[in-house]
Amino acid sequence: MTIGTDDGLATYNFAYLDEQTKRMIRRAILKGIAIPGYQVPFASREMPMPYGWGTGGVQVTASIIGPDDVLKVIDQGADDTTNAVSIRAFFAKVADVETTTETAKASIIQTRHRIPEEKLKDGQILVYQVPIPEPLRFLEPRETETRKMHALAEYGLMHVKLYEDIAKNGHIATTYAYPVKVEDRYVMDPSPTPKFDNPKMHMSDALQLFGAGREKRIYAVPPHTKVVSLDFEDYPFEIQTFEEPCAMCGAQGVYLDEVILDDRGGRMFVCSDTDYCEKRREDGHRGHLAGDAMEAAE
Amino acid sequence: MYVAVKGGEAAIRNAHRLLADRRRGDRSVPALTLEQIVEQLALACDRVMAEGSVHDRDLAALAIKQARGDLIEAIFLLRAYRTTLPRFGYSEPVDTAKMQVERRISATYKDLPGGQMLGPTFDYTHRLLDPSLARDETVDEPERRDGDDTPAMRVSDILAEEGLIEADGEVDSEEVGDLTRTPMEFPMARDTRLQALARGDEGFLLALGYSTQRGYARSHPFAGEIRIGEVDVEFHVPELGFAITLGRIRVTECQMVNQFQGSAKAPPQFTRGYGLVFGQSERKAMAMALCDRALRAAELGEDIVAPAQDEEFVISHSDNVQATGFVEHLKLPHYVDFQAELDLVRRMRGEHTRRRDTQDNMPEAAE
Amino acid sequence: MAVTGQVVEGGFGDPVFASQSVFRAVMDAMARPGTVQAIATDAMPPAPLNAAAAAVVLALADSDTPLWLDAELAKSEAVRGWLAFHTGAPLAGTPSDAVFALAANPAAVPPLTGFALGTQEYPDRSTTLIVQVESLTGGPVLTLTGPGIETTQAIAPRPLPGHFEVQWREINGLYPRGLDLILAAPDAVICLPRTARIGNEEL
């Protein structure tokens, strides 16, 4: 099947990528699943969106997606951020698949920076867009060196870095892209999700796939796999907490965005996961600013 | 704010419509044709073909027009098209010794077999703006001489006769590396590295090559030879048992000749840096040759002391499509992560204030 | 190469969608070790190649992936011709050169450590071994644990390569090096990635 452009100058395959490229990516995905947390090098292709804008996630999604899939795309937890809209429109066009904003309805969810609040189910696939897949990169810029560290499971440098934070600040100063250890072997970058989302990766029912296009790496966490955030006995890992509930739906224990309301310091906190927030409001939940904000949004 | 992130679809649609309007500009001015771009902005097409890794002038011209003249954007457009094309195989190496030469100069010999030919160069033009180009004035036909079919001997072959220059080098395998089809790995084989440099950003390689001239890994370069012209592209067809010519392409080749005092790994001799790019792009070919030589430091047993010699640094950052994507991705929303940082900074400031207050309240005697 | 009907026919009717659906079944099987994933395919390979094993190879192998065949498959000109025509995969001279290895006779599978096991730096450069089995049920029960398995997963394929449990523990011991196994009955597969542990003795 090919998808033609109007003037016949150029034609593209189903889901954009050619079959040889898909096979190459599919092989990398299988090895990634077989070696959880290990970054499989792959010959990443140029995509019709810029590197750094989700080309890794898009290549993974394009290689796994089929006509029966239902795709959800989020950026910052939201379905309607411009890049999420753009990627969703891309797949609707080149793969002619059904898209959704409902977490529960999606078979594939491509995400940048968040994991949905709603617990993912068996059979769902979460595809992460990853800018810098190497968790050790900011401690050691050389790939040749970090590769050796992973080979030897030599992660002392990472612990030293985290401990220096504690010595300097009294706590670990990493708030997103917080490193995890997968199945007691590979230290892995969870992509720049807030560390709030790290616990959701642990023993998830869903398959988690990670694509880094510019850095040319694919990695994976199978369902029911141990994913543990690095920490110390005396300084256990802890997630962010918010003092107030979502101003729109009243949810607690979810990740909130701070929204500036005016130039006099007025602000509110609302769910970063827009689908979750909308569902709650449909179910009758109301936050303290729900009425006003709803009007303001129209 | 909450409104701003909504309605993404309409915003994108309208932005693209405005882009199309600005691309076209004043409707009373005739639209550019691809032929005009191919013929009159030929060097822009050449750069887009070289860094876009596709030899197709019409597609390059289309990309330049679509990108409103932003060449990196045009390169990106071409790359994103190229990557979807099926591979039928790899051509035979082009033989630049058999080039139909249009320009050929050597800085190392005053005269040499085949002669020096300036060709269509900016060199020795006085860089004075020419108002006549603002009008469409008649341009004289070029001087022509009868074609000389004897191939122009390469300067490296002259030096090789005396054994003064390193040999061509051994190729590990018949299979040529291709970083667009196999994952990159460091250290790289020279073929893959040259491919990366050929696709690399002209400005980045220019700056790195320049840095070697200023003492950051000085390599004593001489422009042994630069040649521009057309070469045959041949493809070996297994079913036929011989190579057939697919067509001719214009390329620029630069062989830098570098004095080398010898090391534990290699005797004193002239060494080479090599540059080959699509089209007419002397600056790029020369910069590539300087970078290639600098990146051979490990192979030749030289100390690695400067950025231009650092393969992982140079190759990881030479691709402008990757670089522009990642730099520009900072435009995308990052508010989830920023929220996490806001929370942390507020907390740390709170702790800092409490600590200071505690210290301020301590009695002097405590010292 | 003589192109005969037997070589040309029996590939995927619609390679784009067939490859995608076979890959998804294999991916699900690899992500959930021990679960039986049906392979619905129109591939009709020459005997003794079975349909599911053939479909997996058609979906994943190509000119970039050296393919090793066991003696039973290698001796069939029809099988070699069919695989070459539909995948373009070059034949691997030895198991250690194979990206994919295909065995029709479980009893004659060479020692697992003889396949490509990757390196400590690049454990992904390892063979995916596809072994045809008669059935995914009815054999001796093995209990699996590991990533992808919530508690335990019982499998009972038959027959398996000789001394399979001992060999597989040896593979487990090399982690992250290792190989990944696809057991292919005619209409379904079970996958054992290198992380799958045969856990009978731990229970």
Side-chain angles (χ1 to χ4, degrees), chain A residues 15 18-19 42 44-45 48 65 78 101 125 128-129 132 154 167 175 183 203 211-212 226 239 250 267 273 292:
Chain A
D18 61 280
E19 289 302 302
F42 80 112
S44 174
R45 302 292 195 249
I65 203 164
T101 57
I125 303 166
Y128 295 76
Q129 301 172 198
I132 304 273
E154 176 48 68
T175 58
E183 280 290 315
M203 294 292 174
K226 272 174 79 177
I239 61 171
R267 61 195 67 215
D273 184 335
D292 303 2

Side-chain angles (χ1 to χ4, degrees), chain C residues 73-89:
Chain C
L73 293 169
K75 76 181 179 205
S76 161
E77 198 175 322
V79 166
R80 291 200 317 270
W82 191 84
L83 289 169
F85 181 81
H86 291 287
T87 70

Side-chain angles (χ1 to χ4, degrees), chain A residues 16 20 43 45-47 51-53 76 80-81 112 142-144 171 175 192 216 240 255 258 267, chain B residues 5-6 76 79-80 83 180-181 199 310 312 322 325 329 333-337 339-341 346 351:
Chain A
Y16 180 78
Q20 195 182 356
R45 302 292 195 249
E46 280 94 354
M47 296 301 286
Y51 283 117
W53 298 52
Q76 314 295 300
D80 53 6
T81 35
R112 177 168 172 265
R142 276 172 206 287
E143 159 72 12
T144 34
H171 37 76
T175 58
K216 304 174 175 30
Q240 290 102 338
Y255 198 79
E258 186 170 334
R267 61 195 67 215
Chain B
V5 296
K6 296 272 179 190
F76 178 18
R79 288 261 198 101
T83 194
T180 69
R181 310 306 282 185
R199 289 159 56 93
D310 184 333
E312 212 180 315
Q322 288 173 13
H329 109 286
H334 283 78
Y335 48 77
V336 163
D337 294 346
Q339 187 63 48
E341 297 284 83
R346 278 180 186 140
E351 285 162 13

Side-chain angles (χ1 to χ4, degrees), chain A residues 1 13-14 19-20 22-24 26-27 29-31 33-36 38-41 63-67 69 107-108 122-125 143 147-148 150-152 183 185-186 205-207 209 222-225, chain C residues 14-17 19-20 23-24 26-28 30-32 57-65 87 99-100 120-128 146-150 175-176 178-180 182 193-195 197:
Chain A
M1 168 179 176
N13 191 20
F14 172 80
E19 289 302 302
Q20 195 182 356
K22 285 186 201 165
R23 278 193 296 272
M24 178 270 297
R26 287 167 180 167
R27 293 192 295 260
I29 291 170
L30 293 179
K31 288 298 171 191
I33 291 170
I35 316 166
Y38 164 75
Q39 303 162 51
V40 183
S63 300
I64 64 175
I65 203 164
D69 278 307
S107 58
I108 300 173
D122 183 30
Q124 287 185 306
I125 303 166
E143 159 72 12
R147 186 159 288 279
K148 268 183 232 155
H150 286 296
L152 301 169
E183 280 290 315
R185 178 56 178 81
Y186 283 102
D205 288 340
L207 169 63
L209 301 176
H224 313 298
T225 296
Chain C
D14 186 336
V16 171
F17 294 114
S19 300
Q20 189 272 340
F23 162 72
R24 277 288 280 274
V26 173
M27 183 176 84
D28 285 344
M30 200 63 89
R32 294 167 182 81
V57 174
L58 290 195
L60 292 168
D62 57 29
S63 56
D64 292 333
T65 58
T87 70
V99 170
F100 290 100
Q120 203 68 15
E121 278 83 9
Y122 294 97
D124 56 305
R125 295 180 182 173
S126 47
T127 304
T128 301
I149 301 170
E150 191 168 6
Y175 192 79
L179 63 74
D180 309 303
I182 301 175
R194 66 197 68 191
T195 49
R197 289 179 292 274

